[in-house]
Amino acid sequence: MPTNTEEGFATKAIHAGQDPLQWSHCSVVPPLVMSTTFRQDGPAQHRGYEYGRSGNPSRNCLENCLAALENGKYGLVFSSGLGATTALMSLLESGDHVICGDDVYGGTNRFFQRCASKQNIQVSFVDACNTENFVAAVKDNTKMIWIESPTNPLLKLADIKTIIKEVKTGRPDVYIVVDNTFATCYFQRPLDLGADISMYSLTKYMNGHSDVIMGAAITKRDDIEEKLRFTQNAMGIVPSPYDCALVNRSLKTLELRMQQHMKNGLAVAKFLEGHPLVKKVIHPYLPSHPQYELAIKQMSGHSGMISFYHKGNSYKFLKALKIFILAESLGGYESLAELPSVMTHASIPEEERMKLGINEQLIRLSVGIETEQDLIADLDQALKCSMQ
Ligand SMILES: C=C(NCc1c(COP(=O)(O)O)cnc(C)c1O)C(=O)O
C-alpha cells in the first residue's frame, strides 16, 4: 500500500512499490513473475497469490507505484486504456446516464456511442470548456461525468475543480472520472483536484516507449477499488506481467521524459505559430490558447501534444516528414504526426467531427524527445513540400 509521503515525484517514481524487502531474495529491481499459478500450502491456503488473472507480483508493484504518483490509495491496471474505460462502466447500472466532454479520443467516443449504449447506458456529450454545460446536463439518472483534459485532439481544457464542486454539491453520488492521458500525473493530478478516479491509457506517456498497450484507474476510495478489483478479475481485463514490468520501468524516467517533451513541444509550437503556412496552433501553454490562464493554474506543464491547422495539403505534408513518423498513438520518445479526421477520430460521425473542427486541415503532433533543431527542420521542409 503506497504511503503518501512528502517525497518528490521522481523519488516516488523510482521507489514506491519497489521495496526489495518484499522479496526473500531482496532484488532491488522487482522480479518479473511470469507464472500464471502459485503453489498453495493447503487447499485455498495461498501466500497472497493464487492465479495470474486474480493477482500478480509484477502487476502489484506497478499498481502501487501508480497509486503513489497520483497521491492515490489504489492503482488498478487493465489490458488497455479502453479496457480501463470498459472496467469503469461496471460502476454503472443499466439506465444510468454519463456526461462526457464532446472532444475526446475517437475510441472513447465510439465506446460510449456503440458499446456502452448496448448496456443501456445513456451518454450526453457537452462542450467541456464551459463548466455550466456539465451542470446543466445532470439528470436524475446521471451517475458519471467523464472528463478528458487536455482533450484529444483539440487540446481543450475542462476546469476540473469547478466542475467537481458544482456537480458534487448537489449530487455527491456522481462519479467524476478524469482521463489524464495527455497531462500525466507529472503535470496534473486529478485526485488532488477532487476527482474520484484518474484514468489512463498507459500506452501513451506513462509507458512512453510505444511498446505496451495498457490502461489504469487510480482512486482513493475503498468502495471504488473493491468494485474495480472485482471487475478486473471477473471480466479478465488484465495486462501481462511482462507489460507491467515494462511500464514499471518506464515510470522511473517519466519526470525526465515529460520535461523534455514539454521543452521540445513548446519550441515546435512557437515555430509553427510564426510559420506562414500554418493557420492556427493549439497548445495550452501558449498565451494564444483561449484557456491559457486555466492551463497554468490547473497544470504544472504540458506534454508534447500539439494540434495545428495547416494551410496546405495535409497529405503531402505528412508524407514529406522524415523524422516525425506518420502513425497513430502518442506519448512515446519518438515524434509522431497524424491526421485525426481519417485516423484516430475517423470513427466519430462526420457531422460531429466537422462541428468540432476535426477536419482534414487539422494535424496532430506528438512531439518526442529528439534533438529540438532536427524536429523543427523536419517540419519546415515538410511544410515547404506541402505547397509544391
Ligand atoms: C490511440 C490513441 N489514443 C488512445 C487513447 C485512449 C485509449 O487507450 P488504448 O490504450 O489505445 O486503449 C484513451 N484515452 C485517450 C486520451 C487516448 O488518446 C490516439 O489518440 O492515437
Side-chain angles (χ1 to χ4, degrees):
M1 197 69 70
T3 52
N4 295 333
T5 68
E6 294 313 308
E7 290 167 340
F9 186 90
T11 301
K12 287 195 278 189
I14 291 167
H15 292 283
Q18 319 294 300
D19 187 354
L21 295 177
Q22 62 190 310
W23 327 106
S24 57
H25 47 65
C26 289
S27 63
V28 170
V29 173
L32 170 57
V33 179
M34 296 293 280
S35 180
T36 58
T37 191
F38 299 82
R39 178 191 176 282
Q40 305 194 14
D41 296 321
Q45 293 168 352
H46 57 74
R47 299 187 189 184
Y49 297 97
E50 51 190 327
Y51 183 59
R53 174 166 33 79
S54 313
N56 171 279
S58 301
R59 186 200 309 168
N60 200 41
C61 288
L62 171 59
E63 290 181 334
N64 285 336
C65 190
L66 288 168
L69 291 179
E70 198 74 51
N71 292 335
K73 190 175 178 184
Y74 306 105
L76 297 102
V77 289
F78 301 94
S79 51
S80 65
L82 284 176
T85 305
T86 302
L88 289 172
M89 291 306 105
S90 70
L91 297 175
L92 306 179
E93 304 291 339
S94 172
D96 284 350
H97 174 237
V98 177
I99 305 169
C100 179
D102 59 0
D103 181 43
V104 292
Y105 166 54
T108 302
N109 178 296
R110 177 182 57 202
F111 174 87
F112 279 131
Q113 296 217 42
R114 297 171 60 181
C115 300
S117 54
K118 291 189 186 307
Q119 313 301 322
N120 190 29
I121 290 173
Q122 304 159 23
V123 183
S124 302
F125 293 93
V126 301
D127 180 351
C129 296
N130 181 338
T131 297
E132 280 314 302
N133 291 338
F134 278 100
V135 179
V138 173
K139 304 189 288 188
D140 290 346
N141 62 334
T142 302
K143 282 291 182 293
M144 184 178 282
I145 286 188
W146 190 280
I147 298 168
E148 225 183 65
S149 182
T151 65
N152 177 1
L154 295 170
L155 297 170
K156 293 158 77 170
L157 301 181
D159 185 340
I160 297 168
K161 205 166 187 175
T162 305
I163 291 169
I164 292 168
K165 178 175 171 289
E166 295 294 319
V167 170
K168 285 276 193 182
T169 304
R171 291 289 304 276
D173 60 308
V174 173
Y175 295 114
I176 308 281
V177 180
V178 176
D179 181 335
N180 202 38
T181 300
F182 268 39
T184 81
C185 50
Y186 181 63
F187 286 135
Q188 178 174 270
R189 285 179 287 280
L191 301 188
D192 288 349
L193 297 172
D196 295 302
I197 296 161
S198 181
M199 173 266 168
Y200 289 95
S201 167
L202 297 176
T203 311
K204 314 307 178 193
Y205 283 106
M206 299 285 273
N207 179 54
H209 291 68
S210 300
D211 57 4
V212 172
I213 299 278
M214 196 180 297
I218 299 100
T219 186
K220 292 179 180 175
R221 287 178 50 175
D222 298 346
D223 61 326
I224 290 177
E225 190 271 345
E226 185 182 354
K227 290 171 182 166
L228 292 180
R229 193 67 68 188
F230 171 81
T231 297
Q232 184 188 50
N233 179 45
M235 293 173 75
I237 325 174
V238 296
S240 78
Y242 182 72
D243 282 352
C244 289
L246 285 176
V247 177
N248 192 37
R249 178 215 286 263
S250 300
L251 291 178
K252 311 313 175 222
T253 58
L254 182 62
E255 175 168 325
L256 295 175
R257 291 186 283 109
M258 294 317 292
Q259 289 171 345
Q260 191 63 23
H261 281 296
M262 177 168 181
K263 174 179 170 293
N264 281 0
L266 270 173
V268 165
K270 288 169 183 169
F271 162 75
L272 290 172
E273 204 167 41
H275 199 284
L277 301 181
V278 173
K279 187 176 175 187
K280 180 184 174 188
V281 179
I282 310 172
H283 185 300
Y285 259 55
L286 282 183
S288 61
H289 191 286
Q291 297 175 287
Y292 172 68
E293 293 303 325
L294 175 59
I296 60 177
K297 184 181 83 171
Q298 187 163 269
M299 303 190 292
S300 58
H302 177 63
S303 64
M305 298 310 294
I306 302 170
S307 288
F308 70 94
Y309 287 97
H310 180 224
K311 289 180 182 174
N313 182 311
S314 299
Y315 287 76
K316 278 187 179 177
F317 166 75
L318 289 164
K319 291 169 81 170
L321 290 166
K322 297 184 173 69
I323 295 176
F324 279 81
I325 302 167
L326 171 57
E328 292 194 4
S329 201
L330 60 109
Y333 48 68
E334 76 289 329
S335 292
L336 301 176
E338 65 114 3
L339 198 57
S341 57
V342 296
M343 294 171 73
T344 53
H345 292 66
S347 61
I348 296 179
E350 184 172 9
E351 188 182 340
E352 290 176 36
R353 272 195 286 110
M354 290 303 126
K355 192 177 160 196
L356 284 167
I358 302 176
N359 56 45
E360 293 205 343
Q361 294 315 113
L362 181 77
I363 289 167
R364 189 192 76 184
L365 302 178
S366 171
V367 179
I369 55 176
E370 298 96 335
T371 307
E372 178 188 306
Q373 294 79 356
D374 296 338
L375 296 174
I376 289 171
D378 190 30
L379 293 167
D380 192 35
Q381 63 83 21
L383 284 166
K384 289 188 175 89
C385 289
S386 72
M387 298 307 284
Q388 287 165 4

